[in-house]
Amino acid sequence: MEPVSQPLIQPSSPPSSPPSSPPSSPPSSRPPLSRPLDAAFSVDLRRLTVLRELERRGSLARTAEALHLTPSAVSQQLAALARELGVPLTERDGRGVRLTGQARVLLAHAEVIAAQLERARADLAVYGEGGRGSVTVGCFSSGILGLLPAALRALRDRLPHLRVDVVEAEPPDLFTALDGGQVDVAVAVDFAAAPPHTDRRYTREDLLTDVLDLALPPGHPLAERAEVPLRELATDVWIVGNALSCCGAVTRSVCAAAGFTPDIRHDVNDWAALAGLVEAGQGVALVPRLVRSLYAHRELVLRPAQGEPPSRNVFVAVRAGAERDPVVSAVREELRTAAARPPA
């Protein structure tokens, strides 16, 4: 489904009044952003998006990078929004900025406004002919390999006129795209960069628990074990994805929970490349069962970890209110069905 342009929320302008005579007393020294609020203000939802991104990213520079703007443009958008509302939205914090209490009050209302717009769009889609148009699904790489194919095949049979685009992305960029309308459905893994379950901007649903197995080179001393204690791999060389990626972050946290810091000498995000390095005896790795089918003909050993298996939670999220859209609903349903199937 195509993203909806963000309208201005503007109450009717009050009737104009004749110009008043110049004040006889000196002008007030009160700063302009502390004036009392009145009924004649407007909110530009595009500027609210900038404020929401600043809350997520924590700095003007990172916000600008995420929105493909300059830091100066971000500052101008925030200043314009503050002038519209007549309240300060940011304050200096050392060399950076932080949100004011008024900004956090505004953001709570922004969540409600955005959700209501999504419900309006969903109601219009229900009124018209469903099953047409386009939808964009953002997903992490192993989800694209192990989860999306079955869901996309089912969607093609169910809604043959629907165009489905897939974008590989992970939090936080995935949710910046979801907020901005570049992505309609986000499939992600719970880790530090993902939004919390309590984030009211999204309607989310858990899809599956993806277990991680150990990948060992042929001839590894522990390869004959039915289960491998993670702690016994503390002295091995590890092949791990980037620390900002979901699997790289999960692997690091799993090893920390087992009581050691992995010796990471190979930083690899591509699952086929990782398998090649394991086959060549360059180290050990944790691999998700979502991509296990890729390793069927590889000369490496996959073993479950001993005890409680390391795992990650996979979920689907849409903008709050968008779950009523018939196309989004169909995508979520097929993702649930695909997630319920046992891994190949």
Side-chain angles (χ1 to χ4, degrees):
M1 70 191 180
E2 299 296 339
V4 172
S5 60
Q6 302 289 352
L8 296 179
I9 300 177
Q10 295 179 320
S12 303
S13 299
S16 59
S17 57
S20 58
S21 57
S24 56
S25 58
S28 169
S29 61
R30 184 172 53 196
L33 290 183
S34 62
R35 63 177 170 80
L37 292 177
D38 55 36
F41 75 94
S42 63
V43 178
D44 187 329
L45 295 185
R46 292 166 297 184
R47 290 170 181 159
L48 276 181
T49 298
V50 176
L51 185 65
R52 292 169 75 182
E53 196 63 34
L54 177 60
E55 180 191 32
R56 171 180 287 135
R57 302 286 177 166
S59 77
L60 293 175
R62 288 193 291 270
T63 299
E65 183 180 6
L67 297 177
H68 306 290
L69 298 172
T70 64
S72 175
V74 169
S75 295
Q76 291 170 12
Q77 291 288 318
L78 295 172
L81 181 60
R83 285 194 300 271
E84 284 179 338
L85 299 175
V87 297
L89 298 176
T90 60
E91 56 191 11
R92 299 301 302 177
D93 182 19
R95 301 180 67 177
V97 298
R98 62 185 173 195
L99 298 183
T100 63
Q102 294 99 319
R104 298 194 181 281
V105 169
L106 177 62
L107 284 169
H109 287 283
E111 295 169 3
V112 177
I113 293 168
Q116 192 59 46
L117 286 174
E118 288 296 334
R119 293 186 187 101
R121 177 162 60 178
D123 288 345
L124 289 171
V126 171
Y127 184 86
E129 182 182 0
R132 293 184 180 272
S134 65
V135 63
T136 300
V137 179
C139 186
F140 58 105
S141 62
S142 48
I144 293 174
L145 288 166
L147 182 61
L148 286 196
L152 294 179
R153 284 192 296 268
L155 277 171
R156 182 187 57 202
D157 295 338
R158 177 175 175 177
L159 300 173
H161 300 294
L162 177 66
R163 169 177 166 171
V164 182
D165 296 333
V166 175
V167 175
E168 182 180 343
E170 294 185 10
D173 294 336
L174 174 57
F175 285 86
T176 297
L178 184 62
D179 290 342
Q182 293 84 28
V183 165
D184 303 300
V185 178
V187 183
V189 169
D190 269 318
F191 70 112
H197 284 245
T198 54
D199 196 322
R200 295 185 299 172
R201 290 174 290 182
Y202 313 111
T203 297
R204 58 173 286 161
E205 179 181 3
D206 292 340
L207 291 175
L208 61 92
T209 299
D210 186 25
V211 173
L212 303 175
D213 291 318
L214 287 159
L216 308 174
H220 190 281
L222 301 177
E224 299 303 318
R225 298 267 193 99
E227 295 181 339
V228 176
L230 263 172
R231 191 70 180 79
E232 292 192 24
L233 297 173
T235 58
D236 279 72
V237 171
W238 281 76
I239 307 164
V240 180
N242 186 283
L244 298 179
S245 68
C246 62
C247 217
V250 170
T251 296
R252 286 167 172 80
S253 64
V254 164
C255 291
F260 68 95
T261 299
D263 179 11
I264 301 171
R265 300 188 193 175
H266 308 289
D267 186 339
V268 176
N269 287 319
D270 180 84
W271 295 111
L274 182 147
L277 288 173
V278 174
E279 278 185 312
Q282 298 303 299
V284 301
L286 279 171
V287 297
R289 290 185 182 175
L290 275 175
V291 300
R292 189 161 186 160
S293 61
L294 289 178
Y295 300 157
H297 304 293
R298 291 281 190 174
E299 293 184 5
L300 49 77
V301 179
L302 294 177
R303 291 287 182 267
Q306 190 177 74
E308 184 69 23
S311 63
R312 53 187 189 164
N313 181 58
V314 179
F315 67 96
V316 57
V318 300
R319 294 180 294 274
E323 67 275 4
R324 296 168 61 175
D325 184 287
V327 169
V328 170
S329 178
V331 173
R332 295 173 72 214
E333 183 178 335
E334 296 305 339
L335 284 169
R336 284 195 299 270
T337 302
R341 296 190 182 113

